[in-house]
Amino acid sequence: MPERRTVALVTLGCARNEVDSEELAGRLEADGWDLVEDAEDADVAVVNTCGFVDAAKKDSVDALLEANDLKGHGRTQAVVAVGCMAERYGKELAEALPEADGVLGFDDYANISDRLQTILNGGIHAAHTPRDRRKLLPISPAERQESAAEVALPGHAPVDLPDGLAPASGPRAPLRRRLDGAPVASVKLASGCDRRCSFCAIPSFRGSFISRRPSDVLNETRWLAEQGVKEIMLVSENNTSYGKDLGDIRLLESLLPELAEVDGLERVRVSYLQPAEMRPGLIDVLTSTPKIAPYFDLSFQHSAPDVLRAMRRFGDTDRFLELLDTIRSKAPQAGVRSNFIVGFPGETEADLAELERFLNGARLDAIGVFGYSDEDGTEAATYDNKLDEDVVAERLAHVSRLAEELVSQRAEERVGETVHVLVESVDSEDSAEGVYGRGAHQAPETDGQVLLTSGEGLSIGRMVEAKVVGTEGVDLVAEPLQGMLACSEEAGR
């Protein structure tokens, strides 16, 4: 009997990439590949790259080179690039990085097993020529669903699959294979983006916005709950647009309560929200529905009106602060995070001061700050009024220091609050050291965590009611109240 083929998936970038990797894993496992955790134990190492900003691209290249170094020293025979960077640059990446034995685009995902086998056998699969994926679907959102089946949409594999394709865990299983046993998992709500922010290239290689069917989202969530997942995070490039191509821009408001009722699930979190598209009804659902985290991942990017207009975005400091006041009037403990770009072309000292005014008044739980850099193919890259790199670096350092101070202050404001913590790490059963989780205001990887002062009887995946007694920067220290919190209507609030 021939030895089974082995493959390792190395995932970089955002939660959307993690979902895509698990779909690739499902396809490969269904076709007879053995999935292994470490690239050194795999015949083929597949690196799911990120192509968003320069730092992420560098990390992707470094991961490909690191995997390439394993060849000749172990089992690894081939290294293949997939994901956003591979899709965005195609042949250009293949020529610049000959260490990669293959550069596969999204159109290759449905045939990923054949592509890897060809490469493993010494064959060559030509890297694709990048194209503007916005042109693959109709301009009108209402006409897109009929064309969706003809376009590669990573993370959109249907839940109702032919026999032999779906994992054998149940009739509702998606074409997805979990790559870890964490109690939280992302679920893709949609793909692509119709916004035209002048600094962002994502729509060109991720395509126009298209929603998944609510039934697919629900069934995948049920399947994940059957696998032991306690929290799901809905991801896409813009969750506030969900349903517009299905004829109902308020579809998210009706879907969320259904997701919250899935057996075994403790918490539902929504990420990637556009401030300009926030609706009163959506705010109400996010702040009042049991098991829906009152969590707002709002993409502000800046608050100075002139900078926002140059970014092709909307709003200003006062409107954004009014939005936050509305949210907190309904859920005082709501979590809010955002990202910001400093040093954008034409940004003045007055614009920077306006951003600081917003940050000082916003009381954000988590803040990401990035210095502007040109992105290939974007409108902003053609602007003339660029700031010197040293000015951008100086402003980045300044605002980053301010952000660190402000999120620490916001954490201190939470001392005395009661939080519901999903336990994610228990390093020692006999010690409080290493018992960590996240509250409703904290998303995975990005927003800090909670250290529990007692780990007695705790296990990964349990929900614990705890009182915040201290802070460590953005992180909280909390004392469990009456032990573990059983599943209840209030879990996640």
Side-chain angles (χ1 to χ4, degrees):
M1 184 175 180
E3 188 175 11
R4 287 174 64 87
R5 305 163 294 179
T6 57
V7 59
L9 286 125
V10 180
T11 306
L12 295 98
C14 64
R16 300 183 294 271
N17 257 15
E18 294 172 6
V19 175
D20 295 349
S21 285
E22 293 196 350
E23 181 186 303
L24 290 174
R27 291 184 182 277
L28 290 165
E29 186 173 67
D31 202 47
W33 291 74
D34 282 341
L35 296 160
V36 297
E37 184 174 345
D38 297 323
E40 61 185 354
D41 299 325
D43 296 319
V44 184
V46 177
V47 179
N48 193 348
T49 61
C50 178
F52 182 39
V53 294
D54 287 343
K57 296 174 197 173
K58 182 181 183 303
D59 289 344
S60 295
V61 170
D62 289 345
L64 287 162
L65 293 174
E66 182 178 344
N68 181 71
D69 289 342
L70 298 173
K71 292 191 292 189
H73 301 285
R75 179 161 184 157
T76 308
Q77 301 174 51
V79 176
V80 175
V82 299
C84 291
M85 190 175 181
E87 173 64 36
R88 184 178 181 184
Y89 294 105
K91 290 182 178 179
E92 182 181 344
L93 178 61
E95 293 170 359
L97 197 69
E99 292 86 351
D101 299 286
V103 176
L104 305 181
F106 297 152
D107 293 332
D108 292 307
Y109 282 22
N111 300 301
I112 186 68
S113 178
D114 291 342
R115 300 289 188 264
L116 296 189
Q117 189 61 59
T118 296
I119 294 168
L120 191 59
N121 291 341
I124 297 175
H125 180 73
H128 76 108
T129 300
R131 53 181 173 168
D132 189 338
R133 297 190 73 86
R134 291 172 292 192
K135 299 179 180 179
L136 301 182
L137 291 168
I139 294 176
S140 170
E143 299 175 3
R144 290 177 189 165
Q145 289 290 326
E146 293 183 3
S147 305
E150 303 171 6
V151 177
L153 297 169
H156 282 236
V159 175
D160 300 322
L161 297 162
D163 292 340
L165 278 182
S169 60
R172 295 188 303 271
L175 188 53
R176 177 174 181 174
R177 198 270 202 183
R178 296 214 66 205
L179 294 174
D180 61 42
V184 60
S186 296
V187 174
K188 189 167 283 192
L189 194 62
S191 284
C193 186
D194 288 342
R195 301 183 70 88
R196 294 295 179 264
C197 301
S198 63
F199 56 84
C200 184
I202 289 175
S204 65
F205 57 85
R206 277 290 185 179
S208 298
F209 184 89
I210 188 160
S211 306
R212 294 183 71 198
R213 294 181 302 171
S215 58
D216 281 349
V217 176
L218 274 165
N219 285 336
E220 184 166 336
T221 298
R222 294 185 181 112
W223 177 78
L224 288 166
E226 290 171 357
Q227 308 300 303
V229 169
K230 299 300 180 183
E231 176 182 324
I232 64 161
M233 183 167 70
L234 299 177
V235 299
S236 75
E237 279 72 23
N238 178 10
N239 280 334
T240 36
S241 283
Y242 180 69
K244 73 175 186 178
D245 52 321
L246 294 170
D248 185 0
I249 191 60
R250 295 177 176 81
L251 192 56
L252 184 56
E253 286 95 306
S254 59
L255 176 61
L256 285 171
E258 293 186 71
L259 291 170
E261 293 177 358
V262 171
D263 288 343
L265 209 59
E266 297 272 9
R267 188 154 65 201
V268 178
R269 184 183 304 277
V270 184
S271 62
Y272 305 112
L273 301 169
Q274 286 291 339
E277 297 180 27
M278 289 302 296
R279 305 174 291 276
L282 180 56
I283 294 174
D284 287 343
V285 170
L286 289 170
T287 55
S288 65
T289 308
K291 294 191 179 182
I292 303 297
Y295 174 80
F296 294 81
D297 176 9
L298 293 163
S299 177
F300 289 120
Q301 301 300 343
H302 212 283
S303 72
D306 289 344
V307 176
L308 287 168
R309 301 307 173 264
M311 289 178 168
R312 305 296 183 200
R313 296 178 67 84
F314 306 95
D316 56 48
T317 296
D318 292 332
R319 292 185 197 177
F320 291 162
L321 291 176
E322 287 174 6
L323 172 61
L324 296 179
D325 286 344
T326 298
I327 290 169
R328 290 179 174 131
S329 70
K330 298 175 181 295
Q333 292 184 220
V336 186
R337 79 163 332 271
S338 192
N339 294 323
F340 300 88
I341 297 173
V342 296
F344 193 79
E347 181 190 64
T348 65
E349 291 285 354
D351 293 328
L352 191 66
E354 186 69 2
L355 174 59
E356 291 182 37
R357 181 169 81 89
F358 172 69
L359 292 174
N360 278 296
R363 297 170 54 229
L364 302 178
D365 292 279
I367 301 172
V369 186
F370 300 88
Y372 172 81
S373 62
D374 286 340
E375 281 294 315
D376 298 333
T378 62
E379 180 184 356
T382 68
Y383 289 175
D384 294 327
N385 49 349
K386 305 282 178 60
L387 303 184
D388 291 340
E389 290 186 4
D390 58 343
V391 174
V392 175
E394 180 182 346
R395 293 184 180 183
L396 173 61
H398 171 70
V399 177
S400 295
R401 287 193 297 270
L402 174 63
E404 184 176 356
E405 177 182 341
L406 290 173
V407 295
S408 295
Q409 290 176 5
R410 177 66 182 127
E412 290 171 1
E413 290 179 14
R414 292 192 177 275
V415 173
E417 290 184 356
T418 298
V419 292
H420 292 86
V421 181
L422 178 65
V423 177
E424 295 188 330
S425 173
V426 180
D427 291 340
S428 171
E429 296 181 358
D430 301 321
S431 170
E433 291 296 326
V435 182
Y436 289 95
R438 288 179 300 102
H441 69 286
Q442 298 168 314
E445 307 295 334
T446 59
D447 298 348
Q449 55 191 351
V450 179
L451 169 64
L452 295 171
T453 60
S454 172
E456 182 180 358
L458 298 182
S459 59
I460 293 174
R462 299 304 298 264
M463 191 71 80
V464 180
E465 186 177 36
K467 181 178 180 179
V468 180
V469 296
T471 65
E472 296 179 358
V474 71
D475 298 330
L476 304 181
V477 179
E479 179 181 334
L481 300 175
Q482 300 177 349
M484 294 172 287
L485 178 69
C487 298
S488 72
E489 288 188 346
E490 293 302 316
R493 296 242 54 77

